Amino acid sequence: MNEQIKEQILDRIRSYERIIIARHIRPDGDAVGSTLGLAGILKASFPGKEILVACDDYTEYVAFLGREDGRIPEDKYEGALLIVLDTAIIERISDKNARLAKEIIKIDHHVDIAPYGDISWVEDYRSSVCEMVVDLYMTFRDELKLTKEAATCLFTGMVTDSGRFRYVETKGDTLRLAAVLLDQGIDTETLYAHLYLEEYDYLKFQAYVYENMKMTENGVAYIYVDKVMQQKFALTQEQASNAVGLLSEVKGSIIWLAFIDYDDASIRVRLRSRFVGINKLAEKYRGGGHVCASGATVYSTEEMEALLADADELIRSYKEQNDVF
C-alpha cells in the first residue's frame, strides 16, 4: 500500500510546476531538516520547478541548516501543490495560507489522530519524517537526486528525532537509510558541534535542573521551567523545552516531564517515557504525539498537578506488573 502512495506522491510532484513545502509550528530538527532536505532533493531533481519552503516562525536550534522562505503570499498557493511534513493536524501547519493550495500531501510519522490531505502517507513506527524522505528518495533514486546539503539536513532530523539513534523507533532501516546520507560526505564533526556544544550559561542551567528536579511518589521526574528561570539563564523556549531530555537517566523513572512557561500564558508540556505509552495522556491535556514522546498544554498549576497525578498512576500501574530499570 505504501509503495502505491509513494508512486502517487511522485506523480503529483511531476505534474505541478509550483510546489510549496511546509512543516509544523515551533519546529524541531526533524521538521526543519525534512522540509529543507526534501526541498533540496526536488530542486536538484526538477530544476525547472518553483520550490518554496513555507514558515511563519523560526528556530535558532537548527539555523545552521539554512533559512526557509517565510510566509508564502496567497497568490503563490493558487494552482500549487502543498507537501506538509511532520505535522499531525492541519491546524499546526506553519503557514496559515496552507489551505489555499490546490492539493495537499501529508507525510508524517505521528499517530494519525486527525487525517487530512488529498494524499496521506503516515508511518507512525518511523523514527522521523526525515527517514521517510530518504526512503522516498531511495524508492525513486533513478529519478531523484540527493545533494550533500540535502543529506545534511535529513541526517540532522534523523539524529535529533531518534535521540542519536537511541529511541525505540530506531530500527535497522533507520540506520541503513542514515548510511545512505553519510555516503554523501556529510561533515559530522561540524554537524555535531552545531547540535551539541553548549554555551557556558546553558551548562549552568543544566546543573540547576539536576539540583531542582522533582519526583512523584512512583517516579515521574519533572521540572517546571518558569519565566523566572528562563530569564535567569537567558533561555530560548527551545532550550527550555530541551530540559526534558536531562531527566531521562533517573533510574526507576519511566516518565519524565518538563513544564515550560510561554508568553501566551500557556504552560507547554514535554512528555517522554520508556516502556509505557504517554500519547493518550498527552491527548487528555490538549496534545498528542508519539507513544513515548508527546507534547501537551496546560493553563494552571492545578492542571499541572492533575497531569502529574495521571502520569504517576501510569507508572504505578506499570510497575505492578513489570520490572523497571
Side-chain angles (χ1 to χ4, degrees):
M1 176 63 75
N2 286 344
E3 295 302 312
Q4 294 177 350
I5 293 175
K6 286 186 281 186
E7 286 281 1
Q8 292 173 11
I9 290 172
L10 187 59
D11 283 342
R12 293 297 195 280
I13 289 171
R14 293 187 188 111
S15 65
Y16 278 86
E17 293 306 310
R18 181 182 301 124
I19 299 170
I20 301 171
I21 304 172
R23 39 75 173 170
H24 61 74
I25 58 174
R26 297 186 295 275
D28 56 6
D30 188 30
V32 176
S34 60
T35 50
L36 292 177
L38 179 60
I41 289 173
L42 297 186
K43 287 177 181 179
S45 306
F46 306 99
K49 296 183 184 295
E50 183 178 12
I51 311 295
L52 300 170
V53 181
C55 67
D56 275 350
D57 55 359
Y58 170 73
T59 181
E60 190 66 34
Y61 174 51
V62 286
F64 65 93
L65 293 178
R67 296 300 295 264
E68 299 146 312
D69 296 310
R71 175 174 285 194
I72 307 302
E74 291 186 14
D75 63 302
K76 288 287 188 179
Y77 279 94
E78 184 176 351
L81 172 67
L82 175 68
I83 303 176
V84 183
L85 303 174
D86 199 34
T87 308
I89 60 175
I90 198 167
E91 290 78 13
R92 297 196 72 232
I93 298 176
S94 56
D95 192 324
K96 301 309 178 186
N97 290 330
R99 297 172 189 260
L100 301 176
K102 184 176 179 180
E103 283 191 283
I104 297 178
I105 294 174
K106 175 184 179 180
I107 302 177
D108 191 31
H109 72 136
H110 297 93
V111 177
D112 200 12
I113 58 174
Y116 66 88
D118 301 281
I119 298 174
S120 178
W121 178 27
V122 176
E123 295 183 352
D124 57 23
Y125 58 87
R126 292 282 193 174
S127 71
S128 64
V129 169
C130 283
E131 179 182 334
M132 297 174 68
V133 173
V134 184
D135 179 58
L136 182 71
Y137 159 73
M138 288 298 291
T139 302
F140 304 109
R141 59 187 178 276
D142 290 339
E143 181 172 355
L144 299 179
K145 297 179 181 179
L146 177 65
T147 65
K148 179 179 177 180
E149 292 73 22
T152 299
C153 293
L154 294 167
F155 189 77
T156 299
M158 292 183 73
V159 167
T160 55
D161 236 36
S162 68
R164 300 188 229 185
F165 305 110
R166 292 185 301 121
Y167 296 160
V168 66
E169 291 84 3
T170 300
K171 304 293 192 299
D173 275 349
T174 308
L175 299 178
R176 280 184 283 272
L177 292 170
V180 171
L181 302 175
L182 289 171
D183 286 344
Q184 297 297 312
I186 295 172
D187 179 358
T188 53
E189 185 172 14
T190 299
L191 172 60
Y192 291 138
H194 278 299
L195 289 177
Y196 302 119
L197 293 182
E198 300 289 2
E199 298 289 345
Y200 176 79
D201 286 344
Y202 187 71
L203 292 176
K204 297 288 285 184
F205 166 66
Q206 291 184 1
Y208 185 89
V209 169
Y210 289 128
E211 289 178 355
N212 291 274
M213 66 182 185
K214 297 179 180 180
M215 293 273 285
T216 64
E217 179 181 357
N218 290 293
V220 179
Y222 67 97
I223 187 75
Y224 180 23
V225 188
D226 60 17
K227 281 293 183 185
V228 174
M229 196 186 305
Q230 292 178 40
Q231 292 168 2
K232 178 178 180 179
F233 293 100
L235 300 175
T236 66
Q237 289 184 325
E238 181 74 31
Q239 289 173 322
S241 297
N242 288 341
V244 70
L246 303 177
L247 310 177
S248 65
E249 297 178 0
V250 179
K251 190 172 184 178
S253 175
I254 58 174
I255 297 177
W256 49 102
L257 312 175
F259 298 92
I260 302 99
D261 273 346
Y262 267 65
D263 293 333
D264 61 2
S266 67
I267 302 169
R268 305 292 164 79
V269 192
R270 297 293 179 264
L271 303 91
R272 301 292 185 268
S273 68
R274 65 174 62 89
F275 306 132
V276 61
I278 41 80
N279 56 311
K280 295 299 182 183
L281 174 61
E283 290 170 18
K284 181 178 178 180
Y285 292 90
R286 308 176 189 88
H290 304 293
V291 174
C292 294
S294 293
T297 302
V298 297
Y299 289 94
S300 66
T301 54
E302 290 78 13
E303 286 194 325
M304 289 173 58
E305 291 170 0
L307 193 160
L308 282 168
D310 288 341
D312 192 67
E313 174 59 24
L314 281 177
I315 291 184
R316 187 201 64 77
S317 177
Y318 186 88
K319 285 183 175 181
E320 278 188 350
Q321 305 175 47
N322 301 274
D323 293 328
V324 172
F325 292 97

